[in-house]
Amino acid sequence: MQTWFGKKASGGSPPPSPRKDRSGLRVGIPKVLNVWSTSQFWVGFLRDLGIESENIVFSSDTSEEQGREFGKGRGTVDCCYPVKSISGHYGELIFGQKKKINIILSPMIYSLPSFMRGHVSETLACTRVMAGPENIKAGFMKESDVFADNGIKYASPFLSMAEPEVVPKQMYDCLKDIFGVDLAECEHAVEAGYRELRAFNKKMRDASREIMAWCARENKPCVLVLGRPYHMDPGIGHEIESDLQAHGYPIVWLQYLPIDDDLMNWIFGEEIKAKKIRSALDISDVWTSSNSSNTNEILWGAKVAARFPWITCVLRLSSYECGMDQPTYTPTQKIVEAAGTLFFKFGDLDSTKPAGSIRIRIETIVHYLAKYSDQIIQKKLVLLPPDCPLLAGKEKTLAAVASNEK
Amino acid sequence: MATAVQHYTSYKARPFTREQRDTTTILFGGLTWKHERLVQGVFNNLNYKAKPLPNITRADLDAGKELIDVGACCPTIFTTGSLVNFLKTEVAENGKQKTLDDYVFLTAGACGPCRFGQYHESYEMALDGMGLKDFRLFLLAQDQLDQAPEKGGGLEINMPLSLGIVWAILCGDMLTDMEYQTRPYEVNPGETDRVMKESADYLFEVFQKRPIKGKKWGLLAWHFLSSYFADALRVVRKKFDAIEVDRLQVKPKIKITGEFWLQTHEGDGNYNIKHWLEQEGSEVLPPPVAVWLGYLLHTPIWRLQKKAVVDRKVKTKIAMVRGMEKLYVGTYNRFRKALGNVPYELPDQEELKNLASPFFHYELRGGEGHMLVGKALHAHLHKHANMTCELSPYSCMPNTMSQGAMANVQGRYPELLYAPIEIKGDAEVHALSRCQMILTEAKKRAQSEYVEAMARTGMTVEKIRRIEEKRPALKKATYRIPHMGYASTAANYVMHLAGAKAAV
Ligand code: SF4
């Protein structure tokens, strides 16, 4: 099983011998925001520069205790919790390590290497995702430079991760003095980072495909989570989906939905033929301003959920005061519900897990899932061509599934 | 295959055709009444019927809230509500079909990462909620002067239109700068407002009668080179000449910055804060829209400089953008000159970037990006204002980030008076009292600047009055007081009259 923040190389070319010995450097990365969708890039990048795996330190999952212990008094503004919580992560890396960190690496991720690139206008990060580090840094510098006071170098490269060709230079500009790297080393390391990230994403997509294929074979429902990557953080998303999983419903996250051609053609092929959309990853039919990467993916995930028969329920997660999600509430719900897929929104998620209300709502969801899933699967099946690629190789055809149900 | 299920699709505007142009009115909004009046002139000039939406009121906030998803920022709610209320009245008076046929709405769009790029999604939701999904809404991308004709050809977003709008904005800025430098010191109350109205009407005519010389490059050259607009502004200057001012009144100078819509707006949408500040005895430094346009014009240079390979092609592009920028700033300065150089210069974009850099990366986009930090520091370090009042919508994504960075700025520049005001639209007392607290300190500073200037120059009020009697031009609104190292006008005035050297 892949873990999000695993630090073992997934293959590919071995790292070159770095020009400088960096084996003693310990690098801390706040595990926040879009680091959740790019973590393996960072692992690949740093390992390639000669940083030992054990010296790549991701901060812990977000928690209220972390914020209380390490981030108190550091916040400068009131905003969404995924950003506010970053102070605790910084503080933990500065004050909460047994073995001292030498460098804090907190990227300003301007754009993302989304799988939807080329099919949408832009794949920008939320403005708070990109600027969050500047905001949080201020809380650690307003009175004195806490990083320097603790012998830590602070590195915050501005990165257009959607454009791999400019990333080495961006890295180099920021890290040349801190890591003592040259441009060629950065180029090599950036390439290694992207390779790691691609490999990881592929594994995760394959894993989701397996789950979805199992659902198709067994004719069982699964649940899709529509949220931002950092809702995978137990302190941000509050593990709502796990509570549902405990009731036996497989969970897939939109970020790792399979995008293989066969499956995409099955789901969207008719609409492409009818020229309603240009490609399976085109969302112009439902969303005009396709600028924000995570938003684009959420809308696309909603479209998949509306069409893929065995996704019978969507869990929409959204953080309190999230300005990016706000205009999407109604459209995503309308997209999902058009063909009868169940839609449940957990909005305004903040620092405290509303355990009681989550429990009650999970019971409701389980009830609806049990009652309506078969009906929903049937309703959506008849809208798609008969040859589901997830059932290929099996004698059981979709028609058979349908007639069995009857 | 069964087709009973209709998958969701978003709003698509039905076409606005060339034939409908004479009977259809283009609605627009989002700027000050002055800018909007001149933009209206531009539309008329190109044979469009056009009308700005009525100025924002509190009722628009309620109307907007009713129809869009909760949690929207107040500029979105206000502007949506304003359209909603206008359409409601029209439907009530003239019926649904006539409203659908008679109007289209044109709004600015952006491919930015914040909600500004998604305003129209809210408009669309509101139209849907009102049962007016057939109402036509078009997006004007603010960074492209020449866009593909909108479906139907009813509205052509081309060079004549875009250049006209940009020039109208520049002239609107000129008027606004004159207004805010004059009104606080006018001797006869109400005179500035009257002259403003006259001037805006006059410039409206000027834009309405703009000759269209050439198509693309020819037209561009004409706009840059012709004296048509500068001559018109000289007429405006004459109108302002007649206003008598007394600049010995000590008033703190308050620079307004913030989210684009809120800082530009004059009305209920920002609690009429500019007006309120004037009533509280301040001089307001309004934010020119031209700074934003300058930012849009300049940012491609940074993007080009970041290219992996900066070859000749890239260098040529950079040179072209720089050339365009020079012409743009040159035009602004020509307009300033026509008004006796009373309107302020545009800040240098590179300087704003450099000032902001230690605190906020200049490539971070959304809202005003690094400019909020840059502008606050620029005003403070150059002593252009005693205080910066930053207007941010509650929960504004980019502004909350740069406001956080301002904590760092204030740590390093504790003298910088900074009032970040959060605007929800319905919490006026709270916002204004917060502003009031910091304003009290700004007033003290303006007063001590004045006392210092008097002491340094040995001037007295009597002496100054005598000089004024001898030189009546000093009392004209169009007399330019040079910057003598103080923020407040009165202190600079004293220094100027004494022929003293700049304070710093
Ligand atoms: S997308 Fe929403 S939750 Fe995430 S950083 Fe932006 S505003 Fe906060």
Side-chain angles (χ1 to χ4, degrees), chain B residues 131-197:
Chain B
L132 291 178
K133 221 180 164 177
D134 277 341
F135 181 77
R136 290 160 295 176
L137 177 82
F138 298 103
L139 276 185
L140 173 66
Q142 52 174 353
D143 51 355
Q144 284 170 35
L145 289 184
D146 208 12
Q147 297 168 37
E150 286 292 348
K151 256 197 301 173
L155 174 67
E156 286 174 67
I157 300 172
N158 53 16
M159 288 285 256
L161 179 65
S162 300
L163 284 175
I165 291 177
V166 172
W167 260 244
I169 285 173
L170 300 189
C171 289
D173 282 348
M174 292 295 138
L175 285 184
T176 308
D177 244 19
M178 292 300 292
E179 174 189 6
Y180 281 90
Q181 288 188 60
T182 307
R183 191 169 41 222
Y185 303 101
E186 66 185 5
V187 171
N188 304 310
E191 210 172 355
T192 310
D193 288 346
R194 184 182 52 73
V195 168
M196 278 302 292
K197 170 93 182 52

Side-chain angles (χ1 to χ4, degrees), chain B residues 155-451:
Chain B
L155 174 67
E156 286 174 67
I157 300 172
N158 53 16
M159 288 285 256
L161 179 65
S162 300
L163 284 175
I165 291 177
V166 172
W167 260 244
I169 285 173
L170 300 189
C171 289
D173 282 348
M174 292 295 138
L175 285 184
T176 308
D177 244 19
M178 292 300 292
E179 174 189 6
Y180 281 90
Q181 288 188 60
T182 307
R183 191 169 41 222
Y185 303 101
E186 66 185 5
V187 171
N188 304 310
E191 210 172 355
T192 310
D193 288 346
R194 184 182 52 73
V195 168
M196 278 302 292
K197 170 93 182 52
E198 258 178 52
S199 303
D201 284 345
Y202 168 70
L203 286 179
F204 165 78
E205 299 273 335
V206 167
F207 276 94
Q208 206 176 25
K209 291 182 188 144
R210 172 182 61 146
I212 301 294
K213 303 261 169 115
K215 276 206 161 153
K216 226 174 181 177
W217 299 112
L219 189 71
L220 187 68
W222 181 82
H223 275 79
F224 281 128
L225 300 174
S226 147
S227 63
Y228 182 76
F229 299 104
D231 288 345
L233 289 169
R234 275 186 272 274
V235 175
V236 169
R237 179 182 173 173
K238 289 225 169 68
K239 294 180 193 289
F240 272 88
D241 264 343
I243 305 178
E244 187 187 338
V245 292
D246 174 12
R247 292 195 176 98
L248 214 50
Q249 302 173 60
V250 182
K251 290 170 187 270
K253 210 180 263 179
I254 314 297
K255 184 174 176 65
I256 302 287
T257 65
E259 184 274 338
F260 178 80
W261 185 84
L262 271 186
Q263 64 165 2
T264 309
H265 178 68
E266 295 170 342
D268 286 0
N270 59 12
Y271 310 133
N272 252 311
I273 197 159
K274 294 175 200 167
H275 181 65
W276 176 83
L277 279 165
E278 281 189 359
Q279 281 183 326
E280 289 297 311
S282 328
E283 178 186 340
V284 168
L285 217 78
V289 181
V291 178
W292 172 249
L293 298 180
Y295 170 73
L296 289 181
L297 197 57
H298 193 81
T299 42
I301 295 179
W302 296 330
R303 276 202 291 279
L304 287 164
Q305 284 168 339
K306 285 274 161 166
K307 288 250 179 222
V309 187
V310 181
D311 54 13
R312 264 185 57 179
K313 222 168 118 193
V314 173
K315 281 186 188 152
T316 314
K317 272 192 195 160
I318 293 177
M320 275 171 64
V321 179
R322 280 202 205 287
M324 198 52 98
E325 203 178 13
K326 268 217 165 92
L327 287 169
Y328 174 75
V329 175
T331 302
Y332 197 80
N333 286 339
R334 220 146 56 95
F335 290 178
R336 288 178 52 235
K337 198 167 162 212
L339 290 163
N341 279 321
V342 173
Y344 297 105
E345 267 180 276
L346 290 175
D348 176 45
Q349 287 292 338
E350 284 296 325
E351 189 186 358
L352 290 182
K353 166 196 154 184
N354 294 335
L355 288 172
S357 270
F359 310 99
F360 206 77
H361 198 282
Y362 65 97
E363 285 176 286
L364 292 168
R365 274 170 65 196
E368 295 248 315
H370 66 281
M371 281 204 297
L372 293 183
V373 175
K375 282 186 202 173
L377 275 168
H378 190 271
H380 173 66
L381 296 172
H382 288 291
K383 297 218 166 73
H384 285 171
N386 299 98
M387 161 183 154
T388 292
C389 175
E390 185 182 309
L391 307 177
S392 296
Y394 167 73
S395 85
C396 172
M397 293 187 294
N399 276 27
T400 41
M401 294 300 97
S402 58
Q403 265 174 20
M406 280 301 291
N408 197 358
V409 175
Q410 285 181 292
R412 293 229 208 138
Y413 299 93
E415 282 296 296
L416 192 157
L417 262 195
Y418 170 64
I421 307 296
E422 187 180 78
I423 310 250
K424 283 185 170 168
D426 55 3
E428 184 169 351
V429 176
H430 176 75
L432 296 185
S433 55
R434 198 179 138 63
C435 193
Q436 181 72 274
M437 283 192 288
I438 304 164
L439 184 61
T440 310
E441 176 57 28
K443 282 182 181 168
K444 280 189 209 150
R445 291 196 187 178
Q447 187 61 36
S448 40
E449 282 184 353
Y450 174 75
V451 171

Side-chain angles (χ1 to χ4, degrees), chain B residues 27-29 53 83 103-107 123 135-138:
Chain B
L27 300 169
F28 63 97
L53 283 171
L83 178 65
Y103 294 102
V104 300
F105 180 58
L106 180 64
T107 180
Y123 297 141
F135 181 77
R136 290 160 295 176
L137 177 82
F138 298 103

